[in-house]
Amino acid sequence: MARLNDNYLKLKAGYLFPEIGRRVKAFTDANPEAKVIKLGIGDVTQPLAPAIIDAFHKAVDDLTQGDSFMGYGPEQGYEFLIDTLIEKAYKPLGVSLKTSEIFISDGSKCDCANILDIFALDNKVAICDPVYPVYNDTNVMVGRTGEANEKGYYDGLVYLPCTEENGFTPAIPTEKVDIVYLCYPNNPTGTVATKEALKQWVDYALANEAVLFYDAAYEAFITEPGIPRSIYEIEGAEKCAIEFRSFSKTAGFTGVRCALTVVPEALMARTEGGELTSLNKLWNRRQSTKFNGVSYPVQKAAAAVYSDEGWAQIQETIDYYMENARLIREGLQAAGLTVYGGINAPYIWLKTPGGMSSWDFFDKLLSECHVVGTPGSGFGPSGEGFYRLSAFGDRENVIEAVKRIKENLA
Amino acid sequence: MARLNDNYLKLKAGYLFPEIGRRVKAFTDANPEAKVIKLGIGDVTQPLAPAIIDAFHKAVDDLTQGDSFMGYGPEQGYEFLIDTLIEKAYKPLGVSLKTSEIFISDGSKCDCANILDIFALDNKVAICDPVYPVYNDTNVMVGRTGEANEKGYYDGLVYLPCTEENGFTPAIPTEKVDIVYLCYPNNPTGTVATKEALKQWVDYALANEAVLFYDAAYEAFITEPGIPRSIYEIEGAEKCAIEFRSFSKTAGFTGVRCALTVVPEALMARTEGGELTSLNKLWNRRQSTKFNGVSYPVQKAAAAVYSDEGWAQIQETIDYYMENARLIREGLQAAGLTVYGGINAPYIWLKTPGGMSSWDFFDKLLSECHVVGTPGSGFGPSGEGFYRLSAFGDRENVIEAVKRIKENLA
């Protein structure tokens, strides 16, 4: 008698974004004439850069002839892409990585979920609250938790509240944990961590033999100097951190699919018997056995992000989004709202007016302004009373959305 | 103190193909002048069909403009591809599927590994021997087994020997198992299953509430009429089977990456409490949470496989490979070898001469003929004394490899 994984049944209703999708569909079905502006899911809207398109086409053409045809590639990714990342993405930060330490994948969502495969179930895991729901839900699915309590916290996970009071900066845990998820620039709050703050985490991890899962999916949006773009800018991080990066937001690859995960060779964890063993080898084995590499033309397109032309072109798009962020942030402030983020991150984290609940504010903006954002409570109990807007829209839509919200709240 | 997943340490040496790669590299480093012909890993060699290339380019061009730009797609895949598969791949077989029952992914290797996520650990799992190593290794990694014994069998899995004596057809288990992996046309033996044989499996599964994992990655290579291409051609299979299919071999997508998994809505498994629950919902939740969909241009390219032009073009390539299969099969038979497969499958499964071990025969062909195949023992203990050749090479290479082997064995 086949038995299913009961841990899945502990998950609360739908994953956040499908739930938003359902509500939006219900509204648009009932109001087909409404021009709904979506600043919710954080999907990019601007075209791929010309240099990326060129490389993409050229790589597709490679597949038209026997002598340039590419079949199975390395499960870890092509060296042309990995070595480009080492040179162009990490070396300028003073971070030195080896080819064997970077693994190309089809998405950071997959990687930050799949990374759990190589860890024992009895590790104590800490996540921020609010948080990208995937960190929470994948730990539930794998069986690391009990049921959720009435607040939505799952028994067995350690939650680190990020609140207005602590500047959305989680306190170092007082108890010992083995794995900590960090995300900077932060989704959903739009905050960043200073070198000093990250050093505290690295020190904690080294002292406790913990592993940091560092999600740097939004590093390209850092505008202020001195803010670290990689955890490996912190001394000792190569001994305690796995970093996730993505082309999704950096270069508009949400529909193209390419990301990378860094597992340094110096990073160790203990076997049941207490022996220190390389996590790089385990992840390599995981990827070799359960993954077959990223589409060759996609990897060629990704490498073109770091060409001189490609780099200049994606910066223009990033600037465009960050100007959106400024317009949203300043517009909402002018409307009297309390607003966070939007300076080093493409997300604006706003406090709902009058203590309204996140979903009530979601429904209000949807029905009255025809604007879709993301309810803060969808990211965790401490997100209640907040609401996330994304800067990834078209300029025209951003301006119109801000105008509608200002008028509505006036 | 972070702890790793000790189950990974139970895995034997490298995954088969990396080990082959290492031996080939050692040989070519020592013999740089040798013209090595690779008929090992089963990677395709022929260019993508023109209709597929056209669709691929058009989809890349969609990403150059805001109004045709595609960001995040559905995690389950685009309906344009799913509905094409329903109409063109399944309806002609008399199989009726719903949009919600097909999930597009970046590879069958990933899917047949990831599918374990939604099943409880205490399911009893049966795999064939020899077998695609991923089925075995992913069950070890997830913790379903003890250590391997001296033969290479892992304690806790049920192995179904496929030998010359039983025509490489596994016997229905005498004990109760909960999950059975089947692969037809078979990798590595090249055998197929008749409708009657598959009906026995479906009847067994229905009687025992077992789930069949049916890997149909090679269905496009069936040449004989009456051989089922899908498990769903068998009545009742929608209540007991998950099917994996791939564009990799069918249309040369090993480097492009696209596959599909069918999880029928009628397929149930029991919760711990004994309640029947839909596996389709669980897989949907798994994919929504841990996966972000397949690259949009890749899905467009995949859909073009089923255009009239694309379909005619890929048939030519399949015919080309199957002519290779015939040349290998007949050539080796003429050299006095006992040979199986190669009629409804792109794999030739040959018995090593004089009772030689699989790896000895591998080393002999590599060093004396400069031909690379796959040692049968790499697929499991019952593969010992066998050797797999793939028909996916260039014609010229296939002819030359057969010639070299014939001369060597003469």
Side-chain angles (χ1 to χ4, degrees):
Chain A
M1 184 180 86
R3 279 236 299 107
L4 54 80
N5 177 353
D6 280 87
N7 297 305
Y8 275 63
L9 309 178
K10 297 172 189 166
L11 292 165
K12 295 283 154 192
Y15 178 65
L16 174 60
F17 296 114
E19 174 60 24
I20 291 172
R22 273 188 293 277
R23 293 200 189 202
V24 172
K25 186 171 185 304
F27 176 78
T28 51
D29 284 353
N31 301 275
E33 78 298 337
K35 192 189 165 253
V36 173
I37 299 176
K38 296 185 185 179
L39 302 176
I41 195 171
D43 197 359
V44 298
T45 55
Q46 300 306 298
L48 286 197
I52 296 170
I53 292 284
D54 283 350
F56 212 152
H57 278 307
K58 280 202 191 91
V60 171
D61 282 334
D62 286 344
L63 305 177
T64 63
Q65 291 174 55
D67 54 354
S68 58
F69 181 78
M70 305 296 278
Y72 288 121
E75 287 97 348
Q76 300 81 358
Y78 281 104
E79 287 192 11
F80 67 73
L81 178 54
I82 294 174
D83 292 345
T84 297
L85 288 161
I86 289 173
E87 279 304 305
K88 301 292 182 81
Y90 283 103
K91 212 173 180 180
L93 306 178
V95 173
S96 162
L97 293 174
K98 285 193 269 185
T99 307
S100 56
E101 296 179 311
I102 296 187
F103 297 82
I104 306 299
S105 85
D106 63 324
S108 276
K109 185 186 185 186
C110 316
D111 282 355
C112 76
N114 293 335
I115 196 74
L116 294 178
D117 283 8
I118 64 169
F119 288 91
L121 202 57
D122 61 5
N123 286 291
K124 195 78 165 172
V125 169
I127 64 175
C128 292
D129 164 35
V131 76
Y132 179 45
V134 169
Y135 309 157
N136 184 81
D137 292 1
T138 54
N139 275 286
V140 176
M141 288 154 75
V142 84
R144 190 166 280 120
T145 74
E147 300 285 339
N149 65 18
E150 69 289 348
K151 285 182 82 172
Y153 288 136
Y154 285 86
D155 188 37
L157 289 182
V158 175
Y159 292 88
L160 309 173
C162 301
T163 62
E164 203 173 9
E165 290 70 36
N166 66 17
F168 307 104
T169 301
I172 302 282
T174 47
E175 60 194 304
K176 267 186 109 163
V177 299
D178 308 306
I179 292 171
V180 184
Y181 289 77
L182 295 174
C183 172
Y184 289 113
N186 189 255
N187 174 18
T189 68
T191 52
V192 284
T194 60
K195 277 203 174 162
E196 294 65 38
L198 289 184
K199 186 177 180 311
Q200 286 195 309
W201 281 110
V202 168
D203 290 347
Y204 173 85
L206 292 173
N208 293 282
E209 289 194 10
V211 174
L212 305 176
F213 291 171
Y214 193 77
D215 185 346
Y218 299 96
E219 57 82 23
F221 298 88
I222 293 173
T223 58
E224 294 180 319
I227 304 289
R229 290 170 181 268
S230 165
I231 188 72
Y232 304 117
E233 294 183 55
I234 313 302
E235 204 187 318
E238 74 283 0
K239 289 184 192 147
C240 66
I242 292 171
E243 179 162 295
F244 305 94
R245 282 192 177 201
S246 174
F247 291 86
S248 284
K249 311 300 163 73
T250 305
F253 271 47
T254 54
V256 173
R257 315 299 320 139
C258 199
L260 57 135
T261 290
V262 181
V263 186
E265 291 192 349
L267 178 63
M268 302 279 165
R270 299 268 176 192
T271 63
E272 204 172 355
E275 203 182 331
L276 282 172
T277 301
S278 159
L279 286 170
N280 177 282
K281 279 205 185 70
L282 258 67
W283 183 246
N284 188 46
R285 180 67 197 232
R286 194 264 168 217
Q287 293 299 83
S288 301
T289 307
K290 297 181 73 169
F291 184 58
N292 236 331
V294 171
S295 187
Y296 164 76
V298 168
Q299 291 191 64
K300 278 286 184 184
V305 168
Y306 290 95
S307 65
D308 291 345
E309 256 189 309
W311 192 249
Q313 290 162 356
I314 68 155
Q315 294 312 317
E316 278 178 39
T317 306
I318 290 169
D319 291 347
Y320 176 93
Y321 290 138
M322 291 313 289
E323 173 63 9
N324 286 349
R326 190 189 65 79
L327 291 168
I328 298 172
R329 191 166 43 86
E330 296 183 357
L332 299 186
Q333 278 171 337
L337 288 171
T338 304
V339 174
Y340 299 94
I343 293 172
N344 296 300
Y347 293 123
I348 287 84
W349 187 241
L350 68 90
K351 197 173 175 175
T352 60
M356 198 179 289
S357 84
S358 299
W359 277 110
D360 282 350
F361 191 66
F362 174 90
D363 290 334
K364 174 182 164 73
L365 284 203
L366 175 58
S367 61
E368 297 173 13
C369 305
H370 309 169
V371 169
V372 180
T374 311
S377 59
F379 297 101
S382 296
E384 181 57 275
F386 287 85
Y387 185 83
R388 191 192 76 175
L389 284 171
S390 139
F392 289 120
D394 279 316
R395 178 68 42 80
E396 194 189 336
N397 283 337
V398 164
I399 291 170
E400 173 68 17
V402 170
K403 180 170 160 279
R404 291 186 199 165
I405 296 171
K406 279 170 90 167
E407 285 169 5
N408 182 274
L409 297 179
Chain B
M1 184 181 86
R3 280 235 300 105
L4 54 80
N5 176 353
D6 281 88
N7 297 306
Y8 275 63
L9 309 179
K10 297 173 189 164
L11 291 165
K12 295 285 155 191
Y15 178 66
L16 175 61
F17 297 114
E19 174 60 24
I20 292 172
R22 274 190 292 278
R23 294 200 189 202
V24 172
K25 186 170 184 303
F27 176 78
T28 52
D29 285 352
N31 303 275
E33 79 298 338
K35 194 189 163 251
V36 173
I37 299 176
K38 297 185 184 179
L39 302 176
I41 197 172
D43 196 0
V44 298
T45 54
Q46 301 305 300
L48 286 196
I52 297 171
I53 292 285
D54 282 352
F56 212 153
H57 277 308
K58 277 200 193 92
V60 170
D61 283 335
D62 286 345
L63 305 178
T64 63
Q65 290 175 56
D67 53 356
S68 58
F69 180 79
M70 304 295 277
Y72 287 122
E75 288 97 348
Q76 299 82 357
Y78 280 104
E79 287 193 12
F80 67 73
L81 177 55
I82 293 173
D83 291 345
T84 297
L85 288 161
I86 289 172
E87 280 302 307
K88 302 290 182 82
Y90 282 103
K91 212 174 182 181
L93 306 178
V95 174
S96 161
L97 293 174
K98 287 194 267 185
T99 307
S100 56
E101 297 179 310
I102 295 187
F103 297 82
I104 306 300
S105 86
D106 63 325
S108 275
K109 184 186 184 186
C110 316
D111 282 354
C112 75
N114 293 335
I115 196 75
L116 294 178
D117 284 9
I118 65 169
F119 289 91
L121 202 57
D122 61 4
N123 286 290
K124 195 78 166 172
V125 169
I127 63 174
C128 292
D129 164 36
V131 76
Y132 179 46
V134 169
Y135 309 157
N136 184 81
D137 292 0
T138 53
N139 275 286
V140 175
M141 288 154 75
V142 83
R144 190 165 281 121
T145 74
E147 299 286 339
N149 66 18
E150 70 289 348
K151 285 182 82 173
Y153 287 136
Y154 285 85
D155 188 38
L157 289 182
V158 175
Y159 292 89
L160 309 173
C162 301
T163 62
E164 205 174 5
E165 290 69 37
N166 66 19
F168 307 104
T169 301
I172 302 282
T174 47
E175 61 195 303
K176 267 186 112 163
V177 300
D178 308 306
I179 292 171
V180 184
Y181 290 77
L182 296 174
C183 173
Y184 290 112
N186 189 255
N187 174 18
T189 67
T191 51
V192 285
T194 59
K195 276 204 173 161
E196 293 66 37
L198 289 184
K199 186 177 180 311
Q200 285 195 312
W201 281 110
V202 169
D203 289 347
Y204 172 86
L206 293 173
N208 292 282
E209 290 195 9
V211 174
L212 305 176
F213 291 171
Y214 193 78
D215 185 345
Y218 299 96
E219 57 81 22
F221 298 90
I222 293 173
T223 57
E224 294 180 318
I227 305 289
R229 290 169 181 270
S230 165
I231 188 72
Y232 304 116
E233 295 182 54
I234 313 301
E235 204 186 320
E238 74 283 359
K239 290 183 192 146
C240 65
I242 292 171
E243 179 162 295
F244 305 95
R245 283 193 176 200
S246 173
F247 291 87
S248 285
K249 311 300 165 72
T250 305
F253 271 47
T254 55
V256 174
R257 316 297 322 138
C258 198
L260 58 135
T261 289
V262 181
V263 186
E265 291 191 350
L267 177 64
M268 302 279 166
R270 299 268 176 191
T271 63
E272 203 172 357
E275 202 182 330
L276 282 173
T277 300
S278 158
L279 286 171
N280 177 282
K281 280 206 185 70
L282 257 67
W283 184 245
N284 188 45
R285 180 66 197 233
R286 194 263 168 217
Q287 293 298 83
S288 302
T289 307
K290 298 181 72 169
F291 184 60
N292 236 332
V294 171
S295 186
Y296 164 75
V298 169
Q299 292 192 62
K300 277 286 184 184
V305 168
Y306 290 94
S307 65
D308 290 345
E309 255 190 310
W311 192 249
Q313 290 162 356
I314 68 154
Q315 294 313 318
E316 278 177 41
T317 306
I318 289 170
D319 290 348
Y320 176 93
Y321 290 138
M322 290 313 288
E323 173 64 7
N324 286 349
R326 189 189 65 78
L327 290 168
I328 298 172
R329 191 165 43 85
E330 296 183 356
L332 299 186
Q333 278 171 338
L337 289 171
T338 303
V339 174
Y340 299 94
I343 293 171
N344 295 300
Y347 293 123
I348 287 83
W349 187 241
L350 67 90
K351 198 173 174 176
T352 60
M356 200 180 287
S357 85
S358 298
W359 277 110
D360 283 350
F361 191 67
F362 175 90
D363 289 333
K364 175 184 164 71
L365 284 202
L366 175 57
S367 60
E368 297 173 13
C369 304
H370 309 168
V371 170
V372 179
T374 311
S377 59
F379 297 102
S382 297
E384 182 56 274
F386 287 85
Y387 185 84
R388 190 191 77 176
L389 285 170
S390 138
F392 289 120
D394 279 317
R395 178 66 44 80
E396 195 188 334
N397 283 337
V398 164
I399 291 171
E400 173 66 17
V402 171
K403 180 170 159 279
R404 290 186 199 166
I405 296 172
K406 278 169 90 169
E407 284 169 5
N408 183 274
L409 297 179

